[in-house]
Each structure stands twice: as structure tokens, then as C-alpha cells.
Amino acid sequence: MSSSDLLTIPVRTALIKMTLPMMMGIVSLMLFNLADIYFVGQLGATEMAALAFTFPVTFSVVSLAIGFGIGTSAILARLIGSGRHEEAAVLTTDNLLMTLIVVLCVSTLAHALITPLYHWLGADTEQLPFIIDYMGIWWFGAAFMVTNMVASSSLRARGDTKTPGIVMATSSILNVFLDSILIFGWGPVPAMGIAGAALASVISWGCVFL
């Protein structure tokens, strides 16, 4: 659905056409965590507990991405609706670059503070090595994830909800496939345990980013 369609078709029709692909995308995001929980849970209780400790931090980053995305789509929709397409294009590029730079800075700082942060959150000495293995890799892909979410919001601002939904669903399927290989190993690929779950997510986000 194009941006011009949003101005001409009935509101109910527009909401249905935009909501259904978005629902698919949201469900696919949940599959990332569900896949990690399912496969990491097979490694043992300690690994599962370590993964649970990572959720408050990872959800905080997702919340940051949602905030960037909402701000981007709100401004872009106004520019596109008023026919200022060149300004919208420049703003989209600037926002994506800003997002990438901000999250890279946050990731660098957070990566350096993994150990004290999770000590403060209550992780014990048994869980901490697994948390470090997971988050040490996860932070390298956080910029990809957040930038992808902001890019999806930019597309939705011009009425395209199908492309972000398809892209997110594809990345989730790729993550499930890579989880099973990288966590447990397969052929020449060594078993990486909980670190494999993080690497699978980073590769999936990186592919979407490219």
C-alpha cells in the first residue's frame, strides 16, 4: 500500500492492511526469544538462568529501538503526507545513521560493563561466565537490530507494512535454523553452546541490515 493510498482508502481498510503485516512482524520478533529459550533450555538449568538474566538488558535495547522508530515514523509520515519527499529521504538517512552511531556507542560502553552490570543484577559466579559468553557477542549485533527496526518504521511511515513484516519473518526463520546449528554443532561447525544463540541472532540481524 502506497502513501497516496493512505489518503484515499477508508480508514478501516487502511488499518486492516497495515495491521496484519505488522502483527506478523511482531510475532516473528517473539520467535527470536522463543527459539533461544527452547534451544538454550536443552543445555541445562544454569544456561537457562543465565539467558533469563540477559532479558532486562536486551528488552531495554528493544525499547530504545521502538522509541527511535516511533519518532522517525511520526515525522516521516507528516513529511510524506505533505509531499515533501526529498526532505523525508534525507531525514530517513540521517535517522538511520544517527541510530547506528548512538547504538554503537551504547554497545561499546555496555560491553565493557557486562561483568559489573550483571553482578549488580544478581548473577552468581556460576551463571556469569555464560552471561558473558552470550552478551559479549550479542552487543556486537545490537546496532544491526535497532537500525533494522528504525528502517522498518521508516517503511511503515509511507504505508509499506508488508516489506518489514516479510523481512522480520525471514530473519526469524534464519535465526531458528542457525540456533540449532551453532548451539549444538553440526558437521564441521563446532558446538558453541549459549554463545551460539547470540551469534545466530547477530548473523540474522546482519543479513537483514545488509
Side-chain angles (χ1 to χ4, degrees):
M1 185 167 60
S2 66
S3 56
S4 60
D5 291 336
L6 290 174
L7 303 175
T8 56
I9 64 175
V11 174
R12 183 190 297 267
T13 304
L15 287 175
I16 292 174
K17 287 186 176 181
M18 294 189 68
T19 301
L20 291 178
M22 288 174 64
M23 289 174 60
M24 181 178 70
I26 291 172
V27 170
S28 69
L29 286 176
M30 295 179 181
L31 289 177
F32 264 89
N33 290 324
L34 289 175
D36 287 350
I37 291 170
Y38 173 75
F39 289 114
V40 172
Q42 298 180 43
L43 296 175
T46 303
E47 289 87 343
M48 185 67 176
L51 184 63
F53 266 106
T54 68
F55 288 158
V57 175
T58 57
F59 285 163
S60 296
V61 177
V62 171
S63 298
L64 177 67
I66 292 173
F68 279 148
I70 291 174
T72 298
S73 60
I75 298 174
L76 283 180
R78 293 178 61 186
L79 292 175
I80 294 171
S82 60
R84 297 153 65 185
H85 297 287
E86 290 187 7
E87 291 181 51
V90 172
L91 179 67
T92 301
T93 302
D94 290 346
N95 276 356
L96 290 175
L97 287 173
M98 179 200 70
T99 299
L100 185 62
I101 292 170
V102 168
V103 180
L104 282 174
C105 293
V106 171
S107 298
T108 302
L109 177 62
H111 189 277
L113 298 175
I114 290 176
T115 300
L117 173 62
Y118 283 99
H119 268 309
W120 179 73
L121 289 174
D124 59 31
T125 54
E126 188 178 8
Q127 298 156 351
L128 194 57
F130 294 110
I131 294 173
I132 293 173
D133 286 345
Y134 184 87
M135 294 304 295
I137 295 174
W138 189 92
W139 278 117
F140 283 108
F144 294 151
M145 179 193 69
V146 177
T147 305
N148 292 341
M149 293 180 69
V150 175
S152 295
S153 296
S154 301
L155 289 174
R156 286 194 291 268
R158 61 181 298 274
D160 182 3
T161 57
K162 182 181 294 185
T163 301
I166 293 173
V167 169
M168 285 190 288
T170 302
S171 67
S172 295
I173 294 171
L174 178 60
N175 179 65
V176 172
F177 174 73
L178 292 174
D179 263 349
S180 60
I181 293 177
L182 297 176
I183 293 175
F184 304 109
W186 182 76
V189 180
M192 298 179 62
I194 193 171
L199 183 58
S201 296
V202 171
I203 292 175
S204 300
W205 296 330
C207 290
V208 172
F209 178 84
L210 291 175

